Amino acid sequence: MDGEGSDQRQDERVLFAPPPFGTRGAEISPWRPGRIEPLGDGAAVAGRTGANASPRSVRWSTYGRKLASAVSLELDRGAAFLLVPVLLCVGSVAYFAADTEPGWTPVLSSASILAAGAWLARAYPPVRYALLALLLIIAGVVAGKIETWRAGTKVIGGEITTRVTARVETIEKRDNGRVRLTLAVLDTERPKLRYQPDKVRLTARSVPQGLEPGMVVTGLARLAPPLGPLRPDSYDFAFESYFDGIGANGFFLKAPEFAGHNVPPSIGQLLNAWIEGRRIGLAERIRGHIDGPEGEIAAALVAGVRAGIPEEVNETLRVTGLAHVLSISGLHMALVAGVVIGSLRLGFAAFPGFASRRSVRKYAAAGALGALAAYLLISGSQVAAERSFLMIAVMLVALLFDRAALTMRNLAIAALLIILVSPHEVVGPSFQMSFAATAALVSAYAWWAERRAGKPHVNPATRSRPVRIVHTVAIYAAGLAATSLIAGTATGIFGAWHFQRVSPLGLVANLAAMPVFSVVVMPAAVAGMVLMPFGLDGWAFGIMGQGLSLALSIAGWLAERTPIDAIGAIPLLSVILLSLALVPLTLATTNAMRLAAIPLLLAGFVTIGLRDPPDALVSEDGRLIGVRTDAGLLAVNRSRPNAFATEDWSRALSAPQLVRPEKQADTTAVPSDRFACADGLCRIRHSSGGVVAHAETMPAAERACGIASVIVIGDATAANPCPHSTTSVITARRLALNGSAEIRFDRSGNATVRHTIAEGKPRPWHDHRRFSRTARGLAPYEPKSKKAGSLPAP
């Protein structure tokens, strides 16, 4: 085996290495390892194409040699390892985006065939690398399937009221005064659920005094399955809940009470309760020193508790591009590590005998690693925090073993670990934006360092003090501007895809506010944590609060002057193309390979310009329709529409204002600027001539047959009332099974409907939908007492 591996590596070096001395102008055959064909003045080309080789042939041959040399250099610099997490990501994304669940047999068969092919093609490196790349993509699919099987979350099929007895896992105090509890369900009664979820998330107006994680509570609660996407290609709440282990959401009908239960907590539950108790206590202590929104932000920065931040503050930070400071990431981790290492080394310096005989930097690195692990646990272990911890941990471990730490390789290792443990994170905004920003910054820094390496070094001592101060400030400002610009550009496509918004003044906001966070807020937070055991943290958190107040003032001032932030939904193809362009831009180290990003960038921006948003959207419960009018407004069929859905639709369709329906006396006219409603039927005409109608019942829908292009019926028991018409009918039952829908009209007014969930067997995180009453064609459940005209029993 060693001999074969040595021969194989020799073949690869011969294939991809630049031409050896004395063979200038030679061509390396990619399919004949080790063979060098001399070109000379075009002789080799002439030998293949005729006596008179065309300049184009010579030019393409030159491009091939340059490309082979660039590939060889990239491989020598470790590009193959950097591509491993990228290919795993591709496989995981493909798995989670598939319409149906792929079976184990085709997945494992494909992996076996690719592995065998890679082994047989070991003498042909290009083929071998291509097969290994496909094998890594299949490995990403396998990782996704394993995580889905491992999650196996029990999700209830429909809404129900029952008494829940559960153990408290987390307590989140909301800005509206309510409390959200994550509960591990122990029992249900009246009725007892046959398919009882293991974990639920419920909101309460109040909770018992002294409630802490680990305690058991009971109360009457209204449970509902997690929501699906509000529209096709939007955020899937059911998907995230499935992998979080949440089987139902809802609220307590009255305040929960303490309850006794004979089921002892597991060791994991005890550990989780202890950690959550420390987080809550830490957040309360910080709020005791810092009042108002500043205190909530301080609690988020230190303890990862973000539920109490007022929504208007969140919105201000989103508009100005400063929301990233709320996520515990590289800045926070680096400051904690720096303070711990500096403090330990300063302490060791007080013992010169010990410091001279021991490698104190290794002890300091080990102490910093432990501090970072504790900080990760106490902050809630979010994706950005995990990525930052893994990167810095790799650097510290490399320091312990006297190894050099390559920054881009650290990022690849962090991505690899997260993908293997939690592959579903790759489709979420946190993973995508976090790794895209970090990869872009690392690549840009490496490019800048390479450019500066060839320039003569200027001794700062030769400059005067004022010049040195101005130079330092200018370098800091330029670095901050470059950091904001690079990170904002790299994450912009993902922000636009997930949130349909950009931050026009993000660069200005980061230039103005980030120095406050870096110089005042975070150092004061670290000092407060260090002094907390001694009870001397009050002044440090006070300074932190003042810094946050200044930063919020800057953000608020800029938010008022931001011209626009909502840009509408962008095509999925644009996201794919621009994401692929980031790979050579950030991972490649040669200009030849970076040029591969140019056609991808051009195609991505062209597809954004050619985007075609849907003409109408339908909610998954069939009660709400939104149609974009010619005036750029969002016409809805309900006087009091769901605010959460309409806000998302307004951003996606670039329709900032709502137009509510009006009652119609003349049932023959169909307006185009708003819905007209009469006798349970609402209608609106699209600019293409197509008519969208919403009917509360099947008899009301029959009046629109042949007139409307699309009819949405909100009655679960209704069937298609227009079987002999060209009218498309969307029933509540169909929406319950296939989720929310979008409607597109052609120039003739013919409608095309696309649902969130494809027809056929649903994915595991949507499988619960088929058990709801609506999906089975049943009317909403009504208690017998209500049918009899009396109040239901308590």
Side-chain angles (χ1 to χ4, degrees):
M1 294 298 293
D2 292 341
E4 292 181 3
S6 177
D7 294 341
Q8 176 63 21
R9 288 190 294 271
Q10 179 65 26
D11 288 343
E12 294 173 11
R13 285 195 293 270
V14 172
L15 174 63
F16 290 107
F21 180 77
T23 60
R24 183 177 181 182
E27 180 186 30
I28 301 174
S29 174
W31 305 110
R32 295 183 180 181
R35 178 173 178 178
I36 301 175
E37 301 178 3
L39 288 176
D41 295 328
V45 175
R48 290 190 304 272
T49 61
N52 298 320
S54 65
R56 179 177 298 179
S57 300
V58 176
R59 187 162 56 249
W60 279 108
S61 178
T62 303
Y63 292 156
R65 293 198 307 275
K66 291 182 178 180
L67 180 60
S69 178
V71 170
S72 176
L73 184 58
E74 294 288 353
L75 291 174
D76 290 341
R77 293 177 176 178
F81 177 76
L82 299 182
L83 288 175
V84 171
V86 175
L87 295 171
L88 289 174
C89 276
V90 172
S92 297
V93 170
Y95 167 75
F96 290 118
D99 291 335
T100 59
E101 183 71 18
W104 278 111
T105 300
V107 171
L108 295 180
S109 299
S110 301
S112 302
I113 293 172
L114 291 172
W119 185 81
L120 294 174
R122 60 191 185 279
Y124 301 92
V127 178
R128 179 169 174 260
Y129 286 146
L131 293 176
L132 288 176
L134 293 175
L135 182 59
L136 286 171
I137 293 175
I138 297 298
V141 175
V142 172
K145 281 189 67 66
I146 291 175
E147 187 190 22
T148 302
W149 166 78
R150 193 175 68 242
T153 303
K154 296 179 181 179
V155 183
I156 64 174
E159 296 186 7
I160 192 169
T161 301
T162 183
R163 177 168 292 277
V164 177
T165 302
R167 193 181 309 277
V168 178
E169 290 194 351
T170 63
I171 304 173
E172 300 175 85
K173 294 184 178 180
R174 316 292 290 183
D175 63 303
N176 57 8
R178 299 190 178 186
V179 182
R180 189 171 71 171
L181 304 175
T182 302
L183 305 170
V185 179
L186 300 175
D187 193 15
T188 57
E189 54 183 343
R190 289 187 291 174
K192 183 174 181 61
L193 303 183
R194 289 178 293 178
Y195 195 69
Q196 178 178 293
D198 296 323
K199 190 185 296 185
V200 298
R201 187 171 285 152
L202 303 178
T203 302
R205 293 182 179 272
S206 61
V207 295
Q209 187 71 24
L211 181 65
E212 295 180 0
M215 295 182 175
V216 178
V217 296
T218 184
L220 191 64
R222 182 67 173 175
L223 303 181
L227 287 174
L230 296 175
R231 52 184 172 78
D233 298 329
S234 67
Y235 183 82
D236 192 346
F237 301 92
F239 176 84
E240 194 64 34
S241 295
Y242 181 87
F243 288 100
D244 287 343
I246 304 297
N249 295 314
F251 54 90
F252 282 106
L253 297 177
K254 61 178 183 179
E257 303 172 347
F258 286 120
H261 206 274
N262 56 6
V263 177
S266 63
I267 296 177
Q269 289 176 327
L270 289 174
L271 179 60
N272 176 75
W274 183 85
I275 294 174
E276 286 298 319
R278 304 290 78 74
R279 289 183 67 198
I280 294 173
L282 178 60
E284 290 296 336
R285 186 180 182 96
I286 293 172
R287 295 189 188 104
H289 294 300
I290 308 175
D291 298 327
E294 293 83 359
E296 298 297 338
I297 295 178
L301 294 175
V302 177
V305 179
R306 302 172 56 175
I309 301 177
E311 182 56 31
E312 57 270 18
V313 174
N314 278 320
E315 183 64 16
T316 297
L317 295 176
R318 293 190 199 107
V319 170
T320 54
L322 292 173
H324 63 89
V325 301
L326 301 178
S327 177
I328 295 177
S329 56
L331 173 66
H332 313 75
M333 290 285 179
L335 283 172
V336 170
V339 169
V340 172
I341 290 176
S343 301
L344 289 177
R345 297 199 68 170
L346 183 63
F348 288 139
F351 304 95
F354 177 83
S356 62
R357 294 192 304 269
R358 305 284 184 177
S359 179
V360 295
R361 69 171 188 168
K362 294 186 178 181
Y363 293 137
L369 189 60
L372 288 178
Y375 186 36
L376 179 66
L377 289 175
I378 206 70
S379 63
S381 301
Q382 300 173 357
V383 175
E386 289 178 350
R387 184 263 307 163
S388 303
F389 169 77
L390 290 172
M391 283 190 64
I392 299 177
V394 170
M395 297 176 64
L396 294 176
V397 171
L399 185 62
L400 292 175
F401 290 95
D402 298 317
R403 295 292 186 91
L406 301 178
T407 307
M408 189 62 80
R409 180 161 294 187
N410 294 346
L411 183 65
I413 293 173
L416 189 61
L417 293 175
I418 292 178
I419 294 168
L420 293 178
V421 175
S422 301
H424 80 278
E425 296 286 359
V426 302
V427 298
S430 181
F431 179 94
Q432 294 169 2
M433 299 179 75
S434 176
F435 278 93
T438 307
L441 291 172
V442 171
S443 177
Y445 175 77
W447 174 83
W448 177 251
E450 185 178 353
R451 284 178 58 88
R452 288 180 56 86
K455 296 182 178 180
H457 176 69
V458 178
N459 187 359
T462 60
R463 300 180 178 138
S464 63
R465 184 181 296 274
V467 172
R468 289 202 301 270
I469 294 174
V470 173
H471 182 265
T472 301
V473 173
I475 290 294
Y476 178 79
L480 188 62
T483 298
S484 178
L485 183 62
I486 293 168
T489 302
T491 60
I493 182 63
F494 302 110
W497 167 253
H498 290 286
F499 311 114
Q500 301 83 52
R501 63 198 314 168
V502 294
S503 303
L505 299 181
L507 177 60
V508 178
N510 279 273
L511 284 174
M514 284 311 297
V516 179
F517 280 96
S518 302
V519 179
V520 179
V521 175
M522 288 310 301
V526 175
M529 291 294 295
V530 173
L531 297 173
M532 187 177 292
F534 309 101
L536 303 176
D537 53 320
W539 67 270
F541 286 125
I543 294 175
M544 183 183 184
Q546 294 297 321
L548 288 172
S549 180
L550 176 59
L552 287 179
S553 298
I554 295 172
W557 189 85
L558 289 172
E560 294 175 354
R561 288 155 179 81
T562 298
I564 186 175
D565 68 314
I567 62 170
I570 61 175
L572 177 60
L573 179 60
S574 304
V575 180
I576 294 174
L577 291 171
L578 294 177
S579 299
L580 291 176
L582 280 176
V583 176
L585 282 177
T586 57
L587 301 187
T589 59
T590 58
N591 291 332
M593 299 304 295
R594 292 190 183 114
L595 291 176
I598 293 179
L600 295 172
L601 289 172
L602 292 176
F605 288 122
V606 167
T607 53
I608 290 178
L610 298 177
R611 61 181 171 175
D612 181 24
D615 298 309
L617 296 170
V618 184
S619 64
E620 67 176 9
D621 62 0
R623 302 181 62 194
L624 182 64
I625 303 177
V627 179
R628 192 177 190 274
T629 66
D630 293 339
L633 306 178
L634 183 64
V636 294
N637 64 305
R638 299 183 66 85
S639 300
R640 299 178 62 183
N642 182 286
F644 186 58
T646 53
E647 181 182 355
D648 180 84
W649 292 359
S650 295
R651 289 200 310 267
L653 299 179
S654 298
Q657 295 182 4
L658 295 182
V659 179
R660 289 172 169 78
E662 64 179 7
K663 292 184 178 181
Q664 184 185 36
D666 181 9
T667 58
T668 59
V670 181
S672 61
D673 60 339
R674 67 182 65 234
F675 274 93
C677 301
D679 300 327
L681 180 67
C682 296
R683 297 178 299 173
I684 187 173
R685 186 179 300 277
H686 186 257
S687 58
S688 64
V691 175
V692 179
H694 180 275
E696 296 181 359
T697 62
M698 186 172 173
E702 292 176 349
R703 304 200 310 268
C705 291
I707 300 174
S709 303
V710 180
I711 303 176
V712 179
I713 308 176
D715 184 2
T717 63
N720 185 356
C722 313
H724 305 294
S725 172
T726 58
T727 301
S728 298
V729 178
I730 305 175
T731 63
R733 183 178 185 181
R734 181 178 171 185
L735 290 167
L737 287 170
N738 302 123
S740 56
E742 67 177 26
I743 302 171
R744 296 176 184 270
F745 292 101
D746 60 18
R747 295 182 178 180
S748 301
N750 300 316
T752 301
V753 180
R754 183 170 76 97
H755 287 268
T756 298
I757 305 169
E759 295 285 349
K761 186 177 181 180
R763 304 302 299 273
W765 45 89
H766 291 147
D767 191 51
H768 64 276
R769 302 179 68 96
R770 59 193 177 100
F771 298 105
S772 67
R773 293 183 62 87
T774 304
R776 290 180 289 162
L778 303 176
Y781 173 75
E782 295 184 8
K784 294 181 180 180
S785 56
K786 186 174 182 179
K787 292 179 181 179
S790 60
L791 294 175

